[in-house]
Structures are given as C-alpha cells and as structure tokens.
Amino acid sequence: MDSATLQPVAPGASLAEVVLRTEGLSKRFGTLTAVDDLNLEVRRGDIYGLLGLNGAGKTTTIRMVVRLIAPTAGRVVAFGEDVRENSLAVLNRIGAMVEIPQFYPYLTGRKNLELLYGLSGGADRARVDECLALVGLETRGDDKVRGYSQGMRQRLGLAQALLTRPELIILDEPTNGLDPQGILDIRHLIQRLNRDNGVTFLISSHLLHEIELTCNRVAIVHHGKLRVQDDVKKLLERAKALARVRAEPAEEAKKVFALRRVEVVGVQDGAFKLKCGPEALPDIAAALHAAGCEIWELTPGRATLEDYFMAETGRGGTA
Amino acid sequence: MMSRVGRLTRFELAKLFRQKLPYVVLFPIVGAILLVIMRGMDVKSEVVADPRLRDGFEYLVTSCLWALRLVSGFAVVIASLSLSGEASQGTYRMILVRPVTRTDVFISKALVVAIVVIALFIATALLSYVMLHVVHGFWRDGNYVSPLNEGRYTLMGEEIVSDPNLSKDVLAADFRLAMALSILPLLASGFFGLLISSIFDNTGAAVGLAMFLAIALYGFASVDRQAGKYVFSHSLEYGMTIAKHRAEAYSDRKWEEEEIRRTWVVPLLSGVVFLGAAYAIFVKRDILT
C-alpha cells in the first residue's frame, strides 16, 4: 500500500477514490510565490473546477501536475503514485491540455493527432478520426493547422487530450476562444464523457458561469492559496446566505449590524455584503429603519458561484 | 525506454520530413559552391605551369571542405532550433504531457541531430563526387575518363599520365580518412547548437547566439592557428587538410599521428561535453511557454 492511500480522510469528506491530490504544493519564481501550500483533492467521477482570477496560480498548478515545471515544495499524487517519481505510469492514464494548445502549423490537424497519438504508443487511425469527430473537426482534419482559428485549435487540443481514452483529463481554460455554440458543445462533451465513460475532469477556468454549469466540485484559488474546496451545490447554498444591503448613513448601519451580530463580509459599490439568509432581512430592515437609516437596497443572496467567488476573493473591497 | 525513444525519433523525423524547404534550399547552394570551386581549379594551366602528381582527388577534397563548412553552419542552425523551437512554439505542452520522459525527448532530439548531420554529410560527399565528374570528367577515344584516378594512371588536364607510384586504393583510403575525420567536427557542431538550444525559449536568440559563437570560434581558430587546433569545429579543416597533404606528399608520406589523433579527439570530447551540458540544462528547466 502506498503512502497516498494512508492519508486520513477529512471529516465530512466522501470516501470516493481520490485520483489526484496535491499535497502542500508550492511554486516560487524568485520572490514571487505563484502557488502557496495548495492542497487539492479530485475524486473519481468528479468534474472538478479550479477557479481563480488571472494570475491566481491555476496554470502553474496544472503545469506542476503534468510535470512541466517542478514544485518548490510539496508533491502531486495521481492514482496513488507520486507524479515526479512515476511519471510514465501516471501520464499513461492522463490526458491534458495546458493553456492554448499549440501544434505544428505545417502539419494537418489529423497528422498532428496521429504523431501525438504515436508518442503514447497508439497507432489506431480510427481513434484519431473518432476524436476529430467528437470535437466537431471531422471535416477540417485534413487542413493544415496554420489555417485554424483559435477555437479550432482549442478543439484540436481537446481531441489530443482524448486520444488515449484517459481516466483523468486536465483542461486549462478549455473554452478560451470558442464561440457560444463551441462552449456549449465542449460542455456537453465533458458531461457526456463524465456520465457515460466515467472520465474524471480537472478544469481550470476564470469563467464562473461555465464552471457552475459544468462542475460538481470546485476549488477557489486566490493569490496562489486555496480559499475553498467543496461541492458546487454546497457553495451555492452558502452563496444564498450573502445578502446585499445599502443603507445610509453607513456608520449607523454598521452599528445596527454589529448590534444584531450580523457579519459584514465585504463592501461592494457602497453596499454591505452581509452573512445572513433571506429570512433575517425583514428584521434587519426594521432595525435599520428604527436607527434612522435610509435603505436604498436590500437584496437577498442569489445562489450563484459568482457571488460566492466575489465574497471569497474580496473583489469589491473588504469590510 | 528504447521503444519510447524510437517513437520520439520517428516523431521528430516525420516532422523534419515535412519541413522540406530548408533542405531544398540548401542543396542548390551547396551545388553552386561546389561548381564555383571546381570550375576555379584550372586543370589545364596546372599541367602547363606546375605539373604535379595530384588529380581529381584533391579537387574533391578541397570542394568537399568548402561544402562541409556550409553544412557545419547548417547543422548549428538546425540543432539550435531543435529544443528552442518546441519551447517557442509551445509544443512541449503537447509532448511532455504524454508518457515520455525528458531523457527520452533529449535522446531523440540528439539522435535526430546526428542523423541529419550524417545524412547531410553523405549527401554532400555524393554531390561533390557527382559535381567533380560533371565538371572535370571527359570523353576520350569514345570512353569516359573519370577525373579520379584510373588504375595506375593519374589525370592531368585532359592528358592521362602514367604514374607508377600512384595507387588508387591508397588515395581512396586517404579520402575515406578525411571524410571520417570530418564527421566528428560536424556532429560536435550539431551538439554545440543543441546546447545553445537547451538554454533558450526563443528560436531567434538561440540561432543568433549559436551562429555568432560558431563564427567567432572559426575566426579565432583562423587567426591563432596553434590554439585553433583545439577548437572543435576547426577539426573539419584539419581532417580535410590532412587528406590533401597526404595526396600532395604522396611519395613521401610522413604522418604526424598526433595531428590525426587531435583531429578526432578534440571534436569527440567537445561533443560529449556539449551533449552532457545540454542534457543537464534540459531536464532541469521549467517549461513555462
């Protein structure tokens, strides 16, 4: 039994098999800490979203997972194996697309896939055709890649990740450059592969809505640190508990919140973000009115990942 | 590991095969250089002014040396594009996420550089041979006369002079020695390009620096002939020069074995050092492009 299987399971965590875990993963570039003590856990069957702003450390994390860069500290364990120590065994079971995929422009899309498939030991041309069809490139496979749009390259990148029928597919910003129909197609493809073939996905993105619609679990990374990691449903429940109140004078309103022990988690566009459910809002409104405050806005929390993300990353300022 | 390296090598060769343009451009240039040099060797005036017991063999060696100088520069360019090209295109992201190690990738890249250098070398030698016959061969009494020695005869202009001391086999052996001594400096030039390539993510910077250093070394070796003996790329000159001297001093061959030894030891050691350094850099570096 390897060390990966000996790790204690966190309270409340599912006992589902962990296919990918980062343990204290850190990466420094000179004085810049791009990833700081990151502990992610992707379970079999997950469509796991790695959310963060540009520069949050998502791509650096993925590059460490597929060993394009070496961690400064920590390690990546996939399928129970340390990725750096047993990279061949691990990479046999992983498909990956890191950032905007780049191919050999003087070769056709099909030839690029054939050559890349050959590197993994594959020689089945029918599989190449199948993957081209899966991403909607069956009619453009014989065109040289230099003539492809960014969206087509993105689709080809996804096709190369699918070639070896991997158990875990890692996609870095997979919908970059795609038109709305393309985004929808990719989302449906990911969900279909997950549902029908049991493929686990790790998807990094800064597109909150896309992650919300596609993923069942999500991690939010900010300035290289993990802010939260949970089921999307649970986060949405938590997002419901964030009300937005704009009342003046603000100092008086703050005193009311403190008196009623309502936590202010942030201030956005002059409005307070309060940690309270919709049921508490009538009482808060009455208290504000009694304290002489004018109420300009009082909005119960919406169940969106965007609200939760904004609160977690402090976008819009802090209280 | 062998099967992974084999797959990667086929992958690299398949890519190279589809990039025909540099090679299509290279060979007319090499052919033109050979033509100019061979035409410049006035066989008839040689007969009149200074008849010597040398023949097409020397023309072959001399023109081959010029062509191989060009091939050496080409090897530096091709090799300096090898690793940096993948980095600048961002294609390492496609290769290294597959079940191959960096060692596999490096070995295949070095192998392909070696294969290309040897292929160019053979092609240049054949082209030189063909060009020599096109330029200096002629018909006499209904028979084709090769510019190279025919049995116990040596060609001087359009005359065939009997030379009892001249052996075609000995001259052929000298030519083989010259060519064998030329492969190592060419390979060392390729591995030098590979070393520069392992440092840069930018192909322009890699090619520019590699060519600058190659030319600087060539200039240094030409100016300081004593120190130049220890410059890997300059061994090319020595290999060919030794063969030429052998031909000229045919009847009185006094060979400095040390000279010959240095001609292959210097590029061999340099090549090993370049390969080792390039490998150490490549396997340690982060792929950030």
Side-chain angles (χ1 to χ4, degrees):
Chain A
M1 188 179 279
D2 56 67
S3 60
T5 58
L6 295 172
Q7 299 299 313
V9 176
S14 156
L15 288 172
E17 182 196 351
V18 174
V19 294
L20 178 76
R21 179 168 56 229
T22 66
E23 296 175 358
L25 198 64
S26 301
K27 181 67 184 180
R28 281 189 296 278
F29 296 105
T31 55
L32 173 76
T33 301
V35 175
D36 191 3
D37 193 24
L38 199 62
N39 294 289
L40 303 177
E41 195 176 85
V42 181
R43 300 171 194 154
R44 186 173 291 282
D46 273 349
I47 303 180
Y48 185 101
L50 187 58
L51 260 180
L53 302 169
N54 290 332
K58 305 184 298 290
T59 298
T60 304
T61 301
I62 285 182
R63 281 177 185 270
M64 285 190 278
V65 169
V66 294
R67 50 130 224 196
L68 287 173
I69 60 179
T72 311
R75 66 173 188 154
V76 178
V77 177
F79 304 105
E81 307 266 11
D82 188 312
V83 167
R84 291 196 77 78
E85 286 171 12
N86 293 293
S87 61
L88 294 178
V90 169
L91 290 170
N92 259 322
R93 302 168 74 177
I94 292 180
M97 180 177 87
V98 184
E99 289 190 294
I100 297 167
Q102 299 295 339
F103 293 92
Y104 301 102
Y106 48 87
L107 301 178
T108 64
R110 186 186 309 280
K111 192 70 200 173
N112 267 287
L113 291 192
E114 282 174 10
L115 289 178
L116 290 169
Y117 193 28
L119 289 188
S120 303
D124 181 9
R125 290 192 176 195
R127 179 60 186 162
V128 170
D129 291 337
E130 196 182 327
C131 289
L132 282 169
L134 275 173
V135 298
L137 281 179
E138 63 272 38
T139 58
R140 299 295 302 273
D142 293 321
D143 293 352
K144 291 211 167 133
V145 168
R146 70 164 62 95
Y148 279 20
S149 66
Q150 190 187 327
M152 289 166 72
R153 285 172 199 234
Q154 203 76 11
R155 287 166 186 262
L156 194 63
L158 189 58
Q160 66 78 31
L162 299 173
L163 281 169
T164 54
R165 295 187 174 84
E167 294 167 57
L168 169 65
I169 296 183
I170 298 168
L171 303 174
D172 187 10
E173 307 279 3
T175 52
N176 260 1
L178 293 179
D179 57 26
Q181 183 60 49
I183 292 175
L184 198 67
D185 290 347
I186 296 298
R187 188 197 309 153
H188 287 163
L189 176 63
I190 289 170
Q191 288 171 334
R192 183 153 54 87
L193 287 169
N194 176 259
R195 186 184 58 240
D196 299 346
N197 301 68
V199 178
T200 303
F201 283 89
L202 165 61
I203 301 170
S204 93
S205 181
H206 59 267
L207 301 176
L208 295 154
H209 182 63
E210 203 46 48
I211 290 286
E212 187 178 323
L213 289 174
T214 314
C215 301
N216 67 312
R217 276 176 30 91
V218 68
I220 294 176
V221 181
H222 192 52
H223 294 317
K225 283 181 177 290
L226 180 66
R227 300 298 287 256
V228 68
Q229 175 177 226
D230 213 334
D231 292 348
V232 171
K233 276 183 190 166
K234 286 183 185 167
L235 294 186
L236 294 181
E237 281 301 315
R238 281 189 232 165
K240 260 189 189 172
L242 290 173
R244 186 180 153 95
V245 177
R246 191 153 70 89
E248 285 173 359
E251 285 308 312
E252 280 303 314
K254 264 189 181 177
K255 283 178 192 168
V256 170
F257 301 144
L259 205 62
R260 298 189 67 85
R261 299 186 178 190
V262 176
E263 188 186 341
V264 179
V265 295
V267 180
Q268 192 176 21
D269 305 329
F272 293 100
K273 285 220 154 189
L274 304 181
K275 204 167 187 178
C276 68
E279 68 286 348
L281 289 181
D283 285 350
I284 291 172
L288 286 169
H289 186 70
C293 293
E294 285 185 356
I295 301 171
W296 292 93
E297 183 187 346
L298 198 145
T299 315
R302 291 174 300 154
T304 67
L305 204 51
E306 181 179 3
D307 280 9
Y308 192 85
F309 180 82
M310 292 305 179
E312 272 299 329
T313 57
R315 304 298 284 178
T318 51
Chain B
M1 182 188 187
M2 291 303 286
S3 68
R4 291 194 309 270
V5 171
R7 288 201 296 265
L8 275 160
T9 306
R10 282 196 297 277
F11 174 78
E12 291 295 327
L13 290 173
K15 284 190 298 169
L16 266 183
F17 185 72
R18 279 164 177 81
Q19 288 177 294
K20 298 178 193 76
L21 188 63
Y23 306 94
V24 170
V25 171
L26 176 71
F27 276 95
I29 296 174
V30 171
I33 287 175
L34 290 170
L35 185 67
V36 168
I37 295 165
M38 285 177 181
R39 295 286 299 173
M41 294 169 179
D42 193 342
V43 181
K44 285 180 184 172
S45 67
E46 181 186 289
V47 175
V48 177
D50 178 24
R52 287 177 293 177
L53 292 176
R54 59 182 191 179
D55 58 357
F57 169 79
E58 187 189 334
Y59 310 141
L60 186 61
V61 170
T62 306
S63 56
C64 225
L65 173 60
W66 279 96
L68 288 179
R69 280 177 185 148
L70 186 72
V71 168
S72 167
F74 192 76
V76 171
V77 173
I78 289 283
S80 58
L81 286 169
S82 175
L83 296 167
S84 64
E86 303 282 2
S88 72
Q89 285 185 88
T91 38
Y92 275 134
R93 281 184 267 140
M94 294 290 149
I95 297 172
L96 290 174
V97 298
R98 310 214 155 259
V100 292
T101 65
R102 289 201 192 191
T103 303
D104 301 334
V105 172
F106 183 82
I107 292 172
S108 68
K109 290 277 183 190
L111 264 178
V112 167
V113 166
I115 290 169
V116 168
V117 165
I118 291 169
L120 288 175
F121 170 80
I122 292 169
T124 304
L126 288 177
L127 190 61
S128 302
Y129 186 84
V130 171
M131 292 294 283
L132 178 76
H133 283 77
V134 169
V135 176
H136 290 302
F138 62 92
W139 291 88
R140 189 169 184 274
D141 300 333
N143 295 314
Y144 178 73
V145 180
S146 166
L148 294 173
N149 299 291
E150 291 292 312
R152 289 172 57 81
Y153 295 95
T154 185
L155 170 74
M156 299 178 73
E158 292 188 0
E159 297 298 323
I160 295 179
V161 180
S162 173
D163 176 8
N165 294 319
L166 199 62
S167 157
K168 185 182 177 185
D169 292 341
V170 172
L171 279 175
D174 288 348
F175 183 66
R176 280 198 298 274
L177 172 73
M179 296 307 275
L181 288 173
S182 303
I183 288 181
L184 284 173
L186 285 176
L187 286 173
S189 297
F191 296 151
F192 172 72
L194 203 62
L195 170 60
I196 302 292
S197 187
S198 68
I199 300 168
F200 290 93
D201 286 343
N202 179 308
T203 50
V207 173
L209 182 67
M211 284 309 289
F212 171 78
L213 290 176
I215 291 168
L217 279 172
Y218 185 81
F220 166 75
S222 303
V223 171
D224 187 340
R225 292 212 160 256
Q226 200 53 38
K229 290 178 179 174
Y230 301 98
V231 176
F232 65 95
S233 52
H234 222 60
S235 296
L236 190 65
E237 317 282 324
Y238 289 105
M240 286 295 176
T241 307
I242 285 169
K244 216 162 90 172
H245 288 172
R246 276 194 168 195
E248 285 172 349
Y250 173 74
S251 56
D252 182 23
R253 50 174 62 227
K254 288 180 181 171
W255 295 116
E256 295 176 38
E257 289 302 323
E258 192 188 332
E259 190 96 335
I260 295 175
R261 196 177 310 118
R262 187 173 45 239
T263 301
W264 67 264
V265 167
V266 168
L268 180 70
L269 289 180
S270 305
V272 169
V273 169
F274 296 150
L275 266 185
Y279 175 74
I281 293 167
F282 178 67
V283 294
K284 293 275 181 210
R285 67 179 301 190
D286 286 340
I287 304 294
L288 296 169
T289 54

